[in-house]
Amino acid sequence: MHHTCDPALRSFVDVAPDSPFPIQNLPFGIFRPADGGDARVGTAIGDKVLDLGALEEEGFFQGPHLRGRKVFRRDALNELMALGRPAWVEARERISELLRSDHAELRDNVPLRGRVLLHHKDVRMQLPARIGDYTDFYSSREHATNVGIMFRGKENALMPNWLHLPVAYHGRASSVVVSGTPLHRPCGQTLPAEADAPVYGPSRLVDIELEMGFLVGGPATELGQRVPVEKAEQHIFGMVLVNDWSARDIQKWEYQPLGPFLAKNFGTSISPWVITLEALEPFRCEGPAQDEVQPLPYLRSSGARTWDIELEVGLKAARMAEYHTICRSNFRHLYWNVSQQLAHHTVTGCNIHPGDMMASGTISGPEKSSYGSLLELTWRGSEPIALPDGQERKFLQDGDSIVIQGFCRKGDHRIGFGEVEGTILPAI
Ligand code: CA
């Protein structure tokens, strides 16, 4: 285990036992002080945010990969991501050292601490990166099977290609938003049941998709260059939680033959803190066996290439005081891992850039309680969810909020992703 993940490490900053952000985590994000000032890179520690932009200006990053680089006084992580893994590790090790309870440099510099450690409530988080391209995979076998049964029947649930390749579509980067951004119910074209012509209006079947995404880092690849499975993690900066809001009625009418389009482009929400693969290292695990259908050689994956990340989805209607948990799942259920996804994405020679985002697809597990969309949880609306205040939900109503949380734990060692939250407002 890398020493920055050592469960024995402690920070001089107080960290509550259930905080997602102990010193072993050290995620990267972009914040702006609530009382004004430019955006810059920070890390979360307990309920504080450490201003890395200010520390960089004061000369605190003098290692070989970061010296003279201006990567933290930025409104996006792209410049840091472009430097590659040695620089990310150098930054992490230095930040870990500066926050450690047995390291005096920042601990004993009270005026500096006052300037660079801000309370979480005094900052506003922004999108962590300029997202160049966004691709959405479809890598949960359970999700693909459930949706296949509903749309095509049990016999043809999984399409013939599904076990041979990680299915995906190219999504829309312009409408990726940070947690807390409300979205309006989309309008579009749908074909009502038993109608013979489509109608235009607000979607009636707005849904969520519980997903995670990885952000590409490292130098951009050249057109024509492939990223093999074994090297894929070198190109992955870190991971975020993703809610891929989906309009099921628009989707049903438009999706053949080219796949989702407007059903998915009205908003995709992501969590603000990017959790690095270094922080995830202790939670590495193997994914499902792929022995039923042997993948082609360029997709073969061995060893522990995924992570044990517990995921929860909560729903809160406008009048409810608290979130009601509607789903508990785990990232490890995914059939295709991130390395296979990236290898497949680049097998044609498609180039990738720092800041590209690739989402996993809905992360459904084997049990009904682990299904990652309302479409599956309510089985297309036929089995509504009962909310604690007596209301029922098939799909989202105006004013409904959704929160997705993610965390890893192993004994006392726990790190979290924080959350991605969003509310559906009435159609414009
Ligand atoms: Ca999706």
Side-chain angles (χ1 to χ4, degrees):
M1 188 190 296
H2 203 262
H3 68 97
T4 56
C5 295
D6 185 343
L9 288 182
R10 291 289 176 270
S11 175
F12 63 83
V13 179
D14 280 337
V15 178
D18 60 346
S19 169
F21 306 122
I23 193 170
Q24 292 82 6
N25 194 344
L26 304 180
F28 292 100
I30 301 294
F31 75 95
R32 197 184 281 271
D35 60 1
D38 296 338
R40 73 288 301 265
V41 180
T43 192
I45 177 80
D47 58 5
K48 299 283 203 305
V49 174
L50 179 65
D51 183 344
L52 301 180
L55 288 175
E56 181 181 67
E57 283 179 347
E58 305 249 357
F60 277 82
F61 294 99
Q62 295 298 328
H65 300 287
L66 293 172
R67 189 184 323 121
R69 306 280 189 175
K70 290 189 170 59
V71 292
F72 294 128
R73 194 76 194 213
R74 300 277 189 173
D75 63 1
L77 292 170
N78 296 58
E79 285 73 20
L80 173 64
M81 292 157 123
L83 293 183
R85 170 136 284 125
W88 313 334
V89 170
E90 185 177 299
R92 176 177 170 83
E93 290 179 347
R94 180 64 172 138
I95 296 163
S96 177
E97 178 180 64
L98 286 170
L99 286 171
R100 232 168 271 173
S101 58
D102 58 1
H103 190 83
E105 207 176 350
L106 181 57
R107 185 194 66 195
D108 294 350
N109 189 338
V110 176
L112 181 63
R113 271 172 61 174
R115 284 207 308 283
V116 300
L117 275 168
L118 295 91
H119 208 281
H120 223 132
K121 65 174 170 38
D122 296 329
V123 307
R124 300 287 171 268
M125 300 304 297
Q126 302 190 171
L127 268 186
R130 295 184 301 276
I131 296 173
D133 269 306
Y134 161 43
T135 300
D136 193 16
F137 282 88
Y138 191 59
S139 289
S140 156
R141 184 173 184 170
E142 291 81 1
H143 173 70
T145 303
N146 289 338
V147 174
I149 291 171
M150 282 184 257
F151 283 81
R152 287 183 299 276
K154 218 160 192 147
E155 303 311 307
N156 308 301
L158 223 46
M159 296 295 261
N161 58 5
W162 202 93
L163 291 170
H164 293 276
L165 57 87
V167 170
Y169 66 95
H170 286 301
R172 184 75 195 164
S174 67
S175 52
V176 176
V177 296
V178 74
S179 176
T181 309
L183 292 168
H184 288 275
R185 178 177 298 275
C187 288
Q189 223 187 91
T190 61
L191 183 69
E194 280 145 52
D196 38 24
V199 298
Y200 169 83
S203 166
R204 293 160 175 272
L205 306 182
V206 174
D207 196 358
I208 55 151
E209 290 192 338
L210 162 62
E211 304 196 17
M212 296 195 67
F214 66 83
L215 290 167
V216 171
T221 61
E222 300 289 330
L223 200 58
Q225 184 186 342
R226 294 185 193 108
V227 177
V229 166
E230 314 79 61
K231 298 214 171 116
E233 285 187 13
Q234 291 305 314
H235 295 267
I236 298 177
F237 177 75
M239 301 200 47
V240 292
L241 302 167
V242 177
N243 184 354
D244 176 23
W245 305 91
S246 301
R248 298 299 179 197
D249 42 0
I250 295 173
Q251 183 177 1
K252 191 182 173 198
W253 173 231
E254 75 172 4
Y255 88 102
Q256 285 174 319
L258 288 187
F261 181 36
L262 306 182
K264 303 281 191 173
N265 77 356
F266 62 96
T268 305
S269 301
I270 68 172
S271 53
W273 292 109
V274 185
I275 311 302
T276 63
L277 298 198
E278 282 72 34
L280 287 173
E281 191 57 36
F283 310 101
R284 196 177 270 287
C285 67
E286 288 188 28
Q290 297 181 334
D291 44 15
E292 187 179 329
V293 170
Q294 174 85 280
L296 287 169
Y298 81 93
L299 279 174
R300 269 177 217 160
S301 169
S302 59
R305 292 196 194 274
T306 192
W307 300 273
D308 183 350
I309 304 170
E310 297 177 51
L311 299 163
E312 276 185 30
V313 184
L315 189 158
K316 183 160 69 74
R319 293 188 305 273
M320 283 166 60
E322 290 183 340
Y323 276 98
H324 172 66
T325 301
I326 58 171
C327 161
R328 287 193 172 87
S329 189
N330 194 304
F331 187 73
R332 70 187 299 173
H333 293 317
L334 288 179
Y335 186 84
W336 297 105
N337 62 48
V338 294
S339 297
Q340 292 173 309
Q341 290 171 346
L342 196 55
H344 186 63
H345 202 299
T346 60
V347 74
T348 54
C350 172
N351 47 347
I352 52 172
H353 291 108
D356 287 353
M357 182 173 94
M358 307 208 179
S360 59
T362 309
I363 307 166
S364 293
E367 291 92 29
K368 182 166 178 180
S369 61
S370 61
Y371 293 172
S373 64
L374 291 169
L375 178 71
E376 296 162 271
L377 287 165
T378 70
W379 208 255
R380 223 176 177 175
S382 64
E383 300 165 33
I385 292 172
L387 297 177
D389 65 351
Q391 298 186 66
E392 284 189 340
R393 280 296 179 279
K394 298 173 178 172
F395 291 92
L396 295 178
Q397 296 192 6
D398 292 345
D400 284 356
S401 300
I402 289 288
V403 68
I404 297 174
Q405 295 176 302
F407 52 91
C408 306
R409 58 182 163 185
K410 200 174 201 177
D412 288 343
H413 185 185
R414 179 187 157 117
I415 65 166
F417 282 75
E419 62 183 39
V420 56
E421 186 268 343
T423 300
I424 292 294
L425 301 178
I428 296 174

